[in-house]
Amino acid sequence: MMEDSKNLLKKVTVEKLSFGIGDVAAATGVSQSQLRYWESKGYIQSEVINGSKNRKFTYKTLINVQQIKTSLDDGFTLAGAAKQMQKRADYFDTLRSFFESRFEGMTVTDELTEINLGLFDPEPGKDLVARRVENKWQFKLIDHTK
């Protein structure tokens, strides 16, 4: 079970999901012509899948489109909205990288939520564990488990 939870993030491979331009337009409310324009300006990218001429967009790109649209709705210019989207994308890429490299396991029960963040560098032999108690996160060191 611990191995399953350790590989949880790797099993959720949203990067492999792809959508046609019509799907992205329907999901985000951004027209297909806008999507083509944004792509021509380099704000988003599509991929060619199996030699097809149809545009395919990753799930991450779909999220980026939604982020740009939200910023445009908030009054940003397209260039400003794309810059905001890139900042958010960098932030979430960093966060995901951290959890992919540090995540060792998770326990979730009715009474307890714990996330094991692996070896605590200053104290070899100890794991750093985050525990949620009454909706607040607390940290503790426990003996390393293999």
Side-chain angles (χ1 to χ4, degrees):
M1 183 65 165
M2 183 62 87
E3 189 63 30
D4 285 342
S5 65
K6 183 175 180 179
N7 291 320
L8 179 65
L9 293 175
K10 292 179 179 143
K11 288 181 181 180
V12 180
T13 55
V14 295
E15 291 85 6
K16 292 183 181 180
L17 293 175
S18 64
F19 304 91
I21 193 168
D23 297 326
V24 175
T28 62
V30 175
S31 72
Q32 292 184 31
S33 61
Q34 283 178 300
L35 293 170
R36 287 185 198 97
Y37 178 74
W38 294 359
E39 185 177 13
S40 74
K41 292 295 186 183
Y43 298 132
I44 61 172
Q45 293 80 39
S46 65
E47 299 175 353
V48 174
I49 307 293
N50 298 330
S52 166
K53 292 184 181 182
N54 295 329
R55 287 176 168 83
K56 292 292 183 182
F57 296 90
T58 64
Y59 180 75
K60 185 176 180 179
T61 299
L62 186 144
I63 296 300
N64 289 344
V65 167
Q66 188 62 57
Q67 300 263 333
I68 291 171
K69 182 182 184 309
T70 299
S71 293
L72 287 171
D73 292 346
D74 289 343
F76 284 84
T77 64
L78 179 56
K83 188 179 268 189
Q84 287 295 109
M85 174 273 298
Q86 190 58 56
K87 284 181 187 177
R88 288 185 186 120
D90 292 345
Y91 176 86
F92 284 110
D93 286 346
T94 300
L95 192 57
R96 184 175 181 110
S97 172
F98 169 78
F99 276 105
E100 284 178 347
S101 67
R102 295 299 311 207
F103 182 82
E104 289 293 323
M106 181 168 54
T107 302
V108 179
T109 66
D110 290 340
E111 301 83 30
L112 174 72
T113 300
E114 271 188 354
I115 301 172
N116 186 330
L117 297 172
L119 288 172
F120 186 63
D121 299 335
E123 289 193 40
K126 298 282 185 180
D127 285 351
L128 178 63
V129 174
R131 175 183 275 184
R132 187 169 58 190
V133 177
E134 297 177 6
N135 291 324
K136 294 181 182 177
W137 287 98
Q138 301 174 351
F139 297 90
K140 68 177 185 171
L141 295 176
I142 63 169
D143 290 332
H144 175 68
T145 58
K146 292 186 180 189

Short mmCIF file of all heavy atoms in Angstrom, two decimals, residues 6-7 14 27 51 55-56 70-71 102 107-108 118 130 136:
data_model
loop_
_atom_site.label_atom_id
_atom_site.label_comp_id
_atom_site.label_asym_id
_atom_site.label_seq_id
_atom_site.Cartn_x
_atom_site.Cartn_y
_atom_site.Cartn_z
N LYS A 6 3.13 6.12 -2.73
CA LYS A 6 4.34 6.80 -3.15
C LYS A 6 4.30 7.12 -4.64
O LYS A 6 4.77 8.15 -5.09
CB LYS A 6 5.58 5.96 -2.82
CG LYS A 6 6.87 6.66 -3.17
CD LYS A 6 8.07 5.88 -2.72
CE LYS A 6 9.33 6.63 -3.09
NZ LYS A 6 10.52 5.93 -2.67
N ASN A 7 3.73 6.24 -5.42
CA ASN A 7 3.67 6.42 -6.87
C ASN A 7 2.38 7.12 -7.32
O ASN A 7 2.14 7.25 -8.51
CB ASN A 7 3.80 5.08 -7.58
CG ASN A 7 5.19 4.50 -7.41
OD1 ASN A 7 6.17 5.23 -7.48
ND2 ASN A 7 5.26 3.21 -7.17
N VAL A 14 -1.83 13.49 -16.06
CA VAL A 14 -2.69 14.38 -16.83
C VAL A 14 -1.96 14.93 -18.04
O VAL A 14 -2.60 15.39 -18.99
CB VAL A 14 -3.24 15.54 -15.95
CG1 VAL A 14 -4.15 14.99 -14.88
CG2 VAL A 14 -2.12 16.36 -15.36
N ALA A 27 -14.62 23.90 -23.33
CA ALA A 27 -14.31 23.83 -21.90
C ALA A 27 -13.97 25.19 -21.30
O ALA A 27 -14.22 25.43 -20.12
CB ALA A 27 -13.16 22.85 -21.66
N GLY A 51 0.90 12.11 -36.67
CA GLY A 51 0.90 12.63 -38.03
C GLY A 51 -0.39 13.31 -38.47
O GLY A 51 -0.51 13.72 -39.61
N ARG A 55 -5.10 19.95 -34.47
CA ARG A 55 -4.42 20.44 -33.27
C ARG A 55 -4.87 19.61 -32.07
O ARG A 55 -6.06 19.37 -31.89
CB ARG A 55 -4.80 21.90 -33.01
CG ARG A 55 -4.20 22.88 -33.94
CD ARG A 55 -4.75 24.28 -33.60
NE ARG A 55 -4.01 25.32 -34.27
CZ ARG A 55 -4.24 25.70 -35.52
NH1 ARG A 55 -5.18 25.11 -36.23
NH2 ARG A 55 -3.53 26.67 -36.05
N LYS A 56 -3.92 19.24 -31.24
CA LYS A 56 -4.21 18.58 -29.98
C LYS A 56 -3.53 19.39 -28.89
O LYS A 56 -2.37 19.77 -29.01
CB LYS A 56 -3.70 17.13 -29.97
CG LYS A 56 -4.44 16.21 -30.91
CD LYS A 56 -5.86 16.00 -30.46
CE LYS A 56 -6.58 15.01 -31.37
NZ LYS A 56 -7.97 14.83 -30.98
N THR A 70 -9.15 34.07 -17.72
CA THR A 70 -9.50 34.68 -16.43
C THR A 70 -8.80 36.03 -16.27
O THR A 70 -9.41 37.01 -15.85
CB THR A 70 -9.13 33.73 -15.27
OG1 THR A 70 -9.88 32.52 -15.42
CG2 THR A 70 -9.43 34.37 -13.92
N SER A 71 -7.52 36.09 -16.63
CA SER A 71 -6.78 37.35 -16.54
C SER A 71 -7.32 38.40 -17.51
O SER A 71 -7.41 39.58 -17.19
CB SER A 71 -5.29 37.13 -16.76
OG SER A 71 -4.74 36.37 -15.70
N ARG A 102 9.72 14.69 -3.11
CA ARG A 102 9.71 14.51 -1.66
C ARG A 102 8.64 13.56 -1.16
O ARG A 102 8.77 13.00 -0.06
CB ARG A 102 9.52 15.87 -0.97
CG ARG A 102 10.64 16.86 -1.15
CD ARG A 102 11.96 16.38 -0.62
NE ARG A 102 11.82 15.87 0.73
CZ ARG A 102 12.77 15.85 1.63
NH1 ARG A 102 13.96 16.31 1.34
NH2 ARG A 102 12.57 15.35 2.83
N THR A 107 -1.29 9.09 4.63
CA THR A 107 -2.29 8.37 5.39
C THR A 107 -3.49 9.28 5.55
O THR A 107 -3.35 10.42 6.00
CB THR A 107 -1.75 7.99 6.80
OG1 THR A 107 -0.56 7.22 6.64
CG2 THR A 107 -2.78 7.23 7.59
N VAL A 108 -4.64 8.80 5.14
CA VAL A 108 -5.87 9.57 5.29
C VAL A 108 -6.92 8.65 5.91
O VAL A 108 -7.26 7.63 5.32
CB VAL A 108 -6.39 10.12 3.95
CG1 VAL A 108 -7.69 10.89 4.15
CG2 VAL A 108 -5.35 10.99 3.27
N GLY A 118 9.57 12.36 3.44
CA GLY A 118 10.85 11.69 3.28
C GLY A 118 11.91 12.14 4.27
O GLY A 118 11.64 12.84 5.24
N ALA A 130 4.11 15.83 7.73
CA ALA A 130 3.14 16.90 7.94
C ALA A 130 1.84 16.24 8.37
O ALA A 130 1.36 15.31 7.74
CB ALA A 130 2.94 17.69 6.66
N LYS A 136 -5.17 22.59 10.75
CA LYS A 136 -3.87 23.27 10.78
C LYS A 136 -2.80 22.21 10.57
O LYS A 136 -2.90 21.10 11.07
CB LYS A 136 -3.65 23.98 12.12
CG LYS A 136 -4.60 25.13 12.35
CD LYS A 136 -4.31 25.80 13.67
CE LYS A 136 -5.31 26.91 13.89
NZ LYS A 136 -5.12 27.56 15.17
#
